[in-house]
Amino acid sequence: MADLERRRRLAEFLRSRRERITPREAGIPAGPRRRTPGLRREEVAQLSGVSVTWYTWLEQARDITVSRQVLTSLARALMLSSVERRHLFALADEQPPEQPPGGGPGPALQRLVDALEPHPAYLLDANWDLVGWNRAEAGLIGDPAQLDPAERNLLWLVFTDPALRTLLVDWQGQARDLVAQFRADTRGQFGMPRFEWLTDELRQRSPEFRTWWEAHDLADFGSSRREFTHPAAGALTFDYVKLAALDAPGVKLFACMPADAETARKLPELVAVASGAPVTAAAPAAPAAPAAPTPSAPLTAS
């Protein structure tokens, strides 16, 4: 029943978009005796490169297969906006195509990431490319700005940067989990140039990635805990929280919340590392006088 309802909604949406476009807007001679102001089914079929019968079945909510290529052609023929295009793919139970270059996060989203300091935070696009980060994140994993743009990718760093193998406690377990999460999260990118280049290069460069990628394991993200052995700050433990950016489709914000009081105390050291300032160990808090109230607890992950 749910699938039938989805097909009905897809049919209704296509019909509504077809009826709002005039022949002149579509570059088709209007001709005499048109009973409707919009396009005919056969005209949409012709503009989309599909058969009239197939398109008619689609508007009749028949149980037929719709490929991403056909959806892209329909979106172009019906002159859909970006939000209408995403809605069309969702109704067809398909992932929308890769966002065009330049469709990443805007300045406001980067300001939000900066405002999260001293907590490390970063932005990933649909291919897990790092498209934004703050100084605390740069102090934790190294500054992505120093890398070639093609290498500013979370999986690329985990599998090709020797420093990350030392930084991540239980590198093998965390790296394998990331591969399973990446496969599940990027299923809409299969066949896209950036995705294919990235996975091909990683298979060639990393035997571990090749083995785990070919296992076809899948995993949801969920909130996760990661432990680090930082060369300047020492032992750090973070709980990761992921948020989707509604105004930047495909972009996700990751915030690293300290999982214990010791990690919370060391957060300023990560900013200092990224700024090139000398790192000095924070002095332990002086014991409170007997009559003084108990100090409030440092920020911890929920």
Side-chain angles (χ1 to χ4, degrees):
M1 180 61 71
D3 189 56
L4 175 59
E5 181 60 26
R6 179 185 57 77
R7 296 200 308 270
R8 285 174 176 169
R9 293 185 180 185
L10 173 60
E12 292 170 357
F13 179 67
L14 289 172
R15 193 177 307 115
S16 71
R17 301 303 90 179
R18 171 173 64 83
E19 291 175 350
R20 73 173 184 168
I21 301 175
T22 65
R24 175 177 293 182
E25 289 173 328
I28 297 174
R33 301 178 61 183
R34 294 188 73 95
R35 290 179 292 179
T36 59
L39 297 179
R40 301 186 179 105
R41 287 175 175 173
E42 57 266 27
E43 291 169 337
V44 174
Q46 180 181 0
L47 291 170
S48 305
V50 299
S51 72
V52 177
T53 299
W54 186 90
Y55 181 77
T56 300
W57 286 351
L58 194 58
E59 280 202 8
Q60 291 175 344
R62 300 277 192 97
D63 188 6
I64 58 176
T65 301
V66 187
S67 69
R68 297 180 67 197
Q69 291 78 7
V70 169
L71 290 171
T72 299
S73 297
L74 287 172
R76 182 173 56 251
L78 295 172
M79 303 179 186
L80 300 186
S81 66
S82 58
V83 64
E84 291 171 331
R85 183 188 183 97
R86 293 196 299 272
H87 186 63
L88 172 68
F89 274 77
L91 289 175
D93 198 24
E94 283 283 351
Q95 288 289 323
E98 186 179 53
Q99 291 293 309
L109 197 51
Q110 179 60 54
R111 289 199 301 272
L112 172 60
V113 172
D114 293 336
L116 289 172
E117 286 184 359
H119 301 84
Y122 57 94
L123 300 169
L124 295 183
D125 70 5
N127 290 301
W128 288 27
D129 288 335
L130 285 154
V131 292
W133 57 88
N134 60 17
R135 290 180 301 170
E137 179 65 18
L140 178 63
I141 68 169
D143 189 0
Q146 303 301 315
L147 302 173
D148 184 275
E151 298 177 356
R152 294 174 192 167
N153 180 276
L154 182 61
L155 273 192
W156 184 273
L157 292 176
V158 168
F159 283 95
T160 67
D161 186 353
L164 263 292
R165 291 179 180 256
T166 303
L167 181 68
L168 284 169
V169 176
D170 185 23
W171 176 90
Q172 182 171 351
Q174 296 197 46
R176 184 167 189 168
D177 287 344
L178 284 174
V179 173
Q181 293 168 20
F182 178 77
R183 178 178 283 279
D185 190 50
T186 59
R187 57 186 178 273
Q189 303 304 309
F190 293 173
M192 298 297 179
R194 172 60 177 166
F195 174 88
E196 296 299 334
W197 179 88
L198 179 66
T199 52
D200 286 346
E201 285 291 317
L202 285 174
R203 281 198 297 266
Q204 295 178 30
R205 290 172 177 262
S206 170
E208 297 100 333
F209 178 85
R210 182 171 60 252
T211 298
W212 297 333
W213 183 253
E214 292 174 356
H216 291 266
D217 291 335
L218 298 168
D220 289 327
F221 170 75
S223 295
S224 60
R225 177 166 292 184
R226 295 179 190 167
E227 297 179 358
F228 299 83
T229 303
H230 193 272
L236 301 168
T237 304
F238 289 104
D239 287 322
Y240 278 64
V241 179
K242 181 178 73 169
L243 303 172
L246 295 180
D247 59 347
V251 174
K252 296 170 286 292
L253 185 152
F254 288 80
C256 309
M257 308 304 295
D260 52 57
E262 186 66 14
T263 299
R265 185 181 65 82
K266 295 176 180 178
L267 291 179
E269 299 180 26
L270 298 179
V271 179
V273 168
S275 302
V279 177
T280 57
T294 303
S296 59
L299 177 65
T300 58
S302 57

